[in-house]
């Protein structure tokens, strides 16, 4: 049987093909590497490396041994890492929030993957209404939230954007602009824009519901909605128009609503936000899990 130091010495030298670099990687002397290899070769009964003053290469037997041992060694290391991770034990509960159906799908998929690796944890999902802003985080109702940027609250930490989408304008299907292939922000002049309020910060509202067009014309104000279902109902009834995500056409299709691309609007970005004071290993691990499933 191979001892652990013999196995690691052989595999490392097979990769480096240099005694000095092998010793550096393993934290031992070049002489110790040479002694270990010679001892292993005596036990096997044949050279594993062909050495000259200028090069080191695997012999056919050494190559075969390397190819046989490397997968098993990788499996052993992975098993050890999983055991160490389980021993350290990420435990606890995360209350996560989302405001869009695609955000909910992303968090659900990330949670499933996360819980497979960390079965000692619990993750719950909660929908945040359109007018909820980041108040659930401030009030301690949620631990982390996937929300539309920008978020500039001093007590909150924002992660990178994990979802990006083009913008569209939701119009009544019979509206004169509904048949156009795309619209510009200047086309919003005078239109009654369905907005929201509630806990959303002023900078967030101005970003998503600008009071003026790029050319300076005022944009009208229509009804105020607390949820996306209210937005869709207002648009269907012809009470106004609403900015939204282009993918909303797939998630919120309605016969009375047309989704027209806004060609010159900056894309929507969504990311994770959490209270800075609540940072933890569990939270950071979940942030990483969500980041691997960017939409």
């Amino acid at each position: 049987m191979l001892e652990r130091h013999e196995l690691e010495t052989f595999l490392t030298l097979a990769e480096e093909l240099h005694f000095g670099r092998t010793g550096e990687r393993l934290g031992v002397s070049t002489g110790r590497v040479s002694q270990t290899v010679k001892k292993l070769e005596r036990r096997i009964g044949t050279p594993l490396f062909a050495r000259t003053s200028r090069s080191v290469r695997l012999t056919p037997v050494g190559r075969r041994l390397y190819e046989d041992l490397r997968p098993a060694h990788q499996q052993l290391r992975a098993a050890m890492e999983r055991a160490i991770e389980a021993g350290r034990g990420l435990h606890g509960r995360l209350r996560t929030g989302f405001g869009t159906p695609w955000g909910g799908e992303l968090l659900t998929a990330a949670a499933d993957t996360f819980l497979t690796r960390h079965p000692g944890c619990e993750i719950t999902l909660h929908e945040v209404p359109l007018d909820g802003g980041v108040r659930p985080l401030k009030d301690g109702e949620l631990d982390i939230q996937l929300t539309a940027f920008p978020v500039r609250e001093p007590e909150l930490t924002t992660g990178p954007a994990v979802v990006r989408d083009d913008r569209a304008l939701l119009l009544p299907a019979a509206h004169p602009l509904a048949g156009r292939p795309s619209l510009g922000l200047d086309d919003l002049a005078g239109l009654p824009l369905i907005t929201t309020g509630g806990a959303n910060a002023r900078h967030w509202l101005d970003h998503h519901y600008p009071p003026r067009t790029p050319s300076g014309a005022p944009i009208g104000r229509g009804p105020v909605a607390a949820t996306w279902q209210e937005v869709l109902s207002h648009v269907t009834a012809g009470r106004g128009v609403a900015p939204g995500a282009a993918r909303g056409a797939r998630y919120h299709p309605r016969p009375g609503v047309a989704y027209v691309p806004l060609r010159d609007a900056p894309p929507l970005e969504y990311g994770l936000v959490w209270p800075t004071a609540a940072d933890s290993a569990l939270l950071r691990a979940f942030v990483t899990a969500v980041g691997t499933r960017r939409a």
Side-chain angles (χ1 to χ4, degrees):
M1 291 290 294
L2 286 176
E3 295 184 10
R4 180 178 175 180
H5 77 278
E6 293 175 328
L7 174 62
E8 292 184 347
T9 299
F10 169 73
L11 291 175
T12 304
L13 182 57
E15 293 170 359
E16 294 290 348
L17 296 178
H18 190 282
F19 282 84
R21 288 195 298 269
T22 297
E24 290 176 3
R25 277 182 57 178
L26 297 176
V28 299
S29 67
T30 301
R32 177 69 180 276
V33 173
S34 180
Q35 291 172 5
T36 301
V37 171
K38 288 179 180 178
K39 179 180 177 182
L40 184 57
E41 289 175 328
R42 285 196 299 270
R43 186 184 309 167
I44 293 175
T46 187
L48 301 174
F49 296 92
R51 313 161 178 80
T52 70
S53 59
R54 303 177 65 178
S55 68
V56 177
R57 60 182 176 83
L58 284 164
T59 63
V61 174
R63 170 62 60 184
R64 179 63 183 272
L65 183 62
Y66 173 74
E67 292 174 351
D68 287 343
L69 289 178
R70 186 169 180 268
H73 184 247
Q74 290 176 329
Q75 291 178 359
L76 285 171
R77 290 185 60 182
M80 285 296 294
E81 289 172 359
R82 288 193 295 269
I84 292 171
E85 187 176 77
R88 290 174 179 165
L90 274 180
H91 297 281
R93 180 176 69 138
L94 279 179
R95 299 162 299 169
T96 68
F98 63 93
T100 64
W102 50 91
E105 289 177 359
L106 175 62
L107 291 186
T108 299
D112 287 345
T113 301
F114 184 83
L115 292 174
T116 299
R117 298 193 63 186
H118 306 287
C121 300
E122 177 186 357
I123 298 176
T124 59
L125 279 77
H126 308 270
E127 185 175 5
V128 179
L130 181 61
D131 68 347
V134 291
R135 177 173 289 170
L137 291 174
K138 293 183 174 182
D139 291 348
E141 298 170 5
L142 293 177
D143 301 303
I144 190 167
Q145 183 177 337
L146 181 61
T147 189
F149 287 165
V151 175
R152 300 174 189 151
E153 311 293 335
E155 68 269 41
L156 300 179
T157 295
T158 59
V162 295
V163 179
R164 287 185 173 87
D165 200 3
D166 293 330
R167 295 201 198 201
L169 188 66
L170 285 65
L171 302 102
H175 194 281
L177 299 178
R180 293 191 183 181
S182 66
L183 295 170
L185 290 174
D186 278 323
D187 290 318
L188 296 177
L191 294 179
L193 202 66
I194 298 167
T195 62
T196 190
N200 288 295
R202 174 50 54 190
H203 71 267
W204 190 93
L205 292 169
D206 288 344
H207 179 82
H208 292 277
Y209 307 99
R212 293 184 176 276
T213 68
S215 62
I219 300 175
R221 286 295 181 261
V224 175
T227 68
W228 272 108
Q229 292 305 316
E230 290 182 16
V231 170
L232 294 169
S233 296
H234 287 312
V235 174
T236 302
R239 296 171 184 158
V241 302
R247 74 179 71 188
R250 302 198 309 269
Y251 287 87
H252 298 300
R254 284 205 182 186
V257 177
Y259 289 78
V260 181
L262 279 171
R263 59 179 176 269
D264 55 352
L268 285 168
E269 293 188 329
Y270 305 80
L272 292 169
V273 182
W274 60 92
T276 303
D279 186 30
S280 67
L282 172 59
L283 192 147
R284 290 193 300 273
F286 185 70
V287 170
T288 299
V290 174
T292 63
R293 306 191 67 93
R294 294 179 179 224

